[in-house]
Amino acid sequence: MNAFLLARDALVARLSDRQQRMLLLSFQGRSQREIAATEKISQSAVSQAFAKGVRAAHDAQLTFGKA
């Protein structure tokens, strides 16, 4: 589990502040449309951010649980 936590922390650290906020919003159950409205960006921009790394951090956390 420690290896996972280190990998997760390294992945999240590489995200921009905006991407980290979007990750948090996704954990709160917000849709991409809601995240886009909150961040005042297009839904397409949210989708692209998720494709570039936010989704990986989100999926890893859901797979391995909260720590």
Side-chain angles (χ1 to χ4, degrees):
M1 185 59 107
N2 288 337
F4 162 72
L5 296 176
L6 291 172
R8 180 203 61 191
D9 291 349
L11 180 59
V12 171
R14 294 182 66 183
L15 299 175
S16 69
D17 289 343
R18 173 176 273 170
Q19 289 171 323
Q20 289 182 25
R21 288 192 306 269
M22 293 189 323
L23 177 60
L24 178 61
L25 291 169
S26 73
F27 282 130
Q28 294 172 346
R30 306 288 283 287
S31 69
Q32 285 190 8
R33 180 178 295 144
E34 292 170 322
I35 293 169
T38 299
E39 290 295 320
K40 297 180 175 59
I41 58 176
S42 70
Q43 185 174 353
S44 174
V46 173
S47 180
Q48 289 173 10
F50 272 66
K52 290 181 181 178
V54 174
R55 173 67 63 200
H58 181 268
D59 290 349
Q61 184 67 24
L62 290 179
T63 299
F64 295 103
K66 296 179 182 177

